[in-house]
Amino acid sequence: MTDPNTASRPVQAVVLAGGQGSRLRPYTDDRPKPMVEIPGTGTPIIGHQLTWLAEEGVTDVVVSCGHLADVLQNWLDSADLPVRVTTVVETEPLGRGGGLKYAAAHLPHPDRPWYATNGDIWTRFSLRDMADFHTERDAVATLALARPRIPWGAVKTDGFGRVTDFIEAPPTTYEINAGVYVFSPEFPGLLPERGDHERTTFPRLARERRLAGFPIPQGAYWRAIDTAKDLTEAARELATLGR
């Protein structure tokens, strides 16, 4: 029996790979952040993302380049990729929203939904389930939501103020934007030509109840690679998970 959701699942995606990666120096002195490799994985972050997208049914990816774009483009040209890749480079800074709009204009199927992911995310979960969630809620945009661990130990107290327990690096009680998205075909038309969509488009969609949040399933791995410490911790975590 044919799954009725199959037709609404994206087969195209945008990877936002243009950040400076200043907090990851010296690793980003000679390569963009998505080209950094987590020790032990054998592939740069963007290589992992393209494999993941292909496994989730994506056939075409637009990679939005910026910092050291030629290094990323050369790697994409020489690598054996599981998807068709188009690269775009902003000729002038457009901001996060303008850059996303510019990249989306190069997708091969403008009348179909699409995924987007930040180029510094290492994660694995079902994008198909996220796409179905997006469709079921009739959303224009859906954000993946994560609960990262806070970098400190937490202290539990009772109602009288006595310490009852210590918890090492517990998950935060708040969900955060995990940097993975599903967008409907009309979404690019709502993006600014310049500026930050997270300050304009997303709040507008939230007020209109057209923005959804998909919690990454419990047990699925997620980490944003922002600093050298993130690289070290991700290598340890992935080795423990056998990935």
Side-chain angles (χ1 to χ4, degrees):
M1 184 174 180
T2 303
D3 186 337
N5 287 314
T6 300
S8 61
R9 291 174 182 160
V11 296
Q12 56 187 353
V14 167
V15 175
L16 299 170
Q20 290 286 331
S22 57
R23 290 193 293 164
L24 255 179
R25 289 175 178 159
Y27 297 99
T28 50
D29 284 344
D30 61 354
R31 71 196 67 188
K33 187 162 34 168
M35 282 296 299
V36 173
E37 180 180 326
I38 296 174
T41 61
T43 186
I45 296 170
I46 194 167
H48 163 80
Q49 289 191 339
L50 295 176
T51 298
W52 176 46
L53 289 167
E55 291 172 351
E56 293 294 325
V58 171
T59 58
D60 292 89
V61 176
V62 175
V63 178
S64 179
C65 308
H67 174 63
L68 296 174
D70 57 329
V71 176
L72 178 52
Q73 289 173 317
N74 290 340
W75 183 83
L76 291 168
D77 287 342
S78 63
D80 182 15
L81 302 176
V83 292
R84 289 184 292 270
V85 172
T86 301
T87 59
V88 297
V89 182
E90 297 173 31
T91 56
E92 55 183 323
L94 300 174
R96 291 194 295 178
L100 186 58
K101 186 183 187 81
Y102 180 70
H106 294 79
L107 289 167
H109 309 290
D111 58 340
R112 298 192 64 176
W114 47 291
Y115 298 116
T117 180
N118 293 347
D120 59 356
I121 301 298
W122 189 284
T123 188
R124 277 290 170 100
F125 63 90
S126 174
L127 288 174
R128 292 182 174 93
D129 286 351
M130 185 176 172
D132 294 347
F133 180 97
H134 171 84
T135 300
E136 289 159 5
R137 281 147 187 83
D138 196 26
V140 172
T142 296
L143 290 62
L145 304 176
R147 289 185 185 271
R149 294 188 175 276
I150 63 174
W152 310 282
V155 179
K156 290 185 69 175
T157 60
D158 63 17
F160 194 64
R162 288 178 291 234
V163 174
T164 60
D165 200 3
F166 296 90
I167 306 171
E168 185 62 30
T172 177
T173 56
Y174 292 99
E175 293 176 312
I176 68 162
N177 180 351
V180 180
Y181 312 90
V182 182
F183 296 131
S184 293
E186 64 264 41
F187 182 72
L190 303 176
L191 289 168
E193 296 293 336
R194 296 174 182 272
D196 188 350
H197 61 293
E198 295 193 11
R199 296 181 181 273
T200 55
T201 309
F202 280 175
R204 171 187 168 187
L205 290 175
R207 290 192 299 270
E208 296 171 353
R209 300 295 187 267
R210 296 193 294 164
L211 182 67
F214 174 78
I216 292 178
Q218 187 173 4
Y221 186 75
W222 177 90
R223 180 177 279 275
I225 309 300
D226 291 320
T227 66
K229 183 179 180 183
D230 290 325
L231 274 178
T232 302
E233 293 184 351
R236 175 178 51 80
E237 292 163 352
L238 291 170
T240 300
L241 294 169
R243 299 180 184 178

